[in-house]
Amino acid sequence: MVAALANLVWALALAEPAMSSGGLSWRAPAGCPDAAQVTAQIEAHLHAQLDPDRVAVQATVTGGTGGEYHLALEITRFLDGRTPLRDARELRARDCETLGGAAALVVALGVDAVAVARAEITVKGAATDVPLSPTATDVVRAEPTLPMTDRARPPRPTAKPRWYGLFALAGGVEYGAVPGPSGGIDAALGGGRPGLRVELGGTWIAPRQSAGAIGAVRVQLGTVAVRVCPELGRGRVRAPVCLGIAAGAMRGSGVDVPGAQTVHAAWVAPTVSAGVRVTLAGPLALLARAEVAAAVTRPAFELREPGAPISVFRPPPVSTRLWLGVELRARRRDGKRP
């Protein structure tokens, strides 16, 4: 405590009285640059005079007794001539002349960094020309907070595409899987990311009846499909093109036939579809698509009585469908609409 008090008394004894030049108030020990010299360096950086009506600088240098010099610096700028904007800093250096040059550069940057940049003096160059101590500290406080336009903007991180979930429900017309034109329902659950979606869908084709010579059969179809859909376009209107494989069962029931039975038979077909998706509002979208299924497994329905079996219905190889429905997508974790 005694040693610290002695150092303080010694520093005050060596210190010159505060001197002012322009908008700079400078107090430093003997042997350090004076206010006029520091002001001249500031104005050399700015290529303009230091206006005391726009900026006021308080600077106090202490130390120099075998250790480092310490500079307490406060820069006050007056916005619109009234609102003060304060910036306080602390710098250390082993040489007082070096510290004075550093103070001049810091003040110039605080007053008008653009003017300093126009003079081709960058912060990196200044750090090379004015070597501060590795232990230099730079404490900044601002009242009010500096606007972002006065600071270096950090680089924005690149947004990574995020997966989303979807649920779609559609109704439509079908021809080819059951006797004559029919209707159906298609529902799908899935997920995707921009440009690609994957779906697990379920389709039901309503029953239709086919009559034979001695009776009739009522046929309906239910399938489950996996679809992979590249999605073209951007914005509100997009065009999914889907490739998939569907597998399920056809159900046939005899009608007006004594002892009629209900049978189930496998039905398998690759599928291809193309459509248009239009975003309506938020996660809700309207979806229309045309689909073709080419059956590789097709059952035949027959009526049997004593004698040869009588074929009543066998579906053609191709089934065509037109679907119209809605789609709901879950929002991504970043809150943006997928």
Side-chain angles (χ1 to χ4, degrees), residues 7-16 29-30:
N7 288 337
L8 178 59
V9 173
W10 178 258
L12 292 175
L14 293 177
E16 293 182 350

Side-chain angles (χ1 to χ4, degrees), residues 42-302:
I42 295 172
E43 294 176 346
H45 289 307
L46 293 174
H47 283 243
Q49 290 186 344
L50 192 61
D51 187 353
D53 294 331
R54 295 181 54 195
V55 62
V57 181
Q58 299 287 333
T60 302
V61 180
T62 58
T65 57
E68 294 180 326
Y69 287 90
H70 173 265
L71 170 64
L73 183 65
E74 182 176 280
I75 306 170
T76 303
R77 291 187 295 159
F78 298 96
L79 305 179
D80 302 326
R82 297 183 303 273
T83 306
L85 183 66
R86 294 184 176 87
D87 185 0
R89 298 173 182 266
E90 295 182 2
L91 300 175
R92 297 179 185 272
R94 295 188 179 277
D95 179 73
C96 194
E97 184 176 354
T98 298
L99 193 59
L105 179 59
V106 170
V107 171
L109 289 172
V111 172
D112 192 345
V114 175
V116 178
R118 286 174 180 170
E120 300 183 352
I121 300 177
T122 63
V123 175
K124 179 178 179 181
T128 303
D129 296 338
V130 186
L132 299 180
S133 168
T135 61
T137 60
D138 188 358
V139 181
V140 182
R141 63 178 183 273
E143 301 175 359
T145 304
L146 289 174
M148 182 58 74
T149 53
D150 292 343
R151 302 177 181 175
R153 293 182 179 272
R156 292 184 177 181
T158 303
K160 296 182 180 180
R162 295 183 181 273
W163 287 87
Y164 58 83
L166 66 87
F167 171 73
L169 182 64
V173 295
E174 187 275 345
Y175 183 81
V178 298
S182 184
I185 297 175
D186 183 87
L189 285 172
R193 59 190 305 171
L196 180 68
R197 53 193 278 171
V198 179
E199 301 176 355
L200 177 64
T203 303
W204 175 72
I205 304 300
R208 295 285 291 175
Q209 186 169 300
S210 176
I214 60 171
V217 63
R218 182 180 296 271
V219 181
Q220 58 184 300
L221 173 64
T223 62
V224 175
V226 176
R227 297 187 283 259
V228 178
C229 309
E231 201 169 51
L232 309 178
R234 301 180 63 181
R236 296 181 64 249
V237 180
R238 304 187 186 184
V241 178
C242 300
L243 300 176
I245 183 74
M250 299 193 77
R251 172 184 172 129
S253 302
V255 179
D256 297 329
V257 178
Q261 296 181 348
T262 298
V263 295
H264 297 82
W267 187 92
V268 179
T271 64
V272 59
S273 66
V276 176
R277 178 185 180 276
V278 181
T279 301
L280 298 178
L284 184 65
L286 180 67
L287 183 63
R289 62 186 177 93
E291 184 178 36
V292 175
V296 295
T297 301
R298 296 179 294 134
F301 295 93
E302 301 174 340

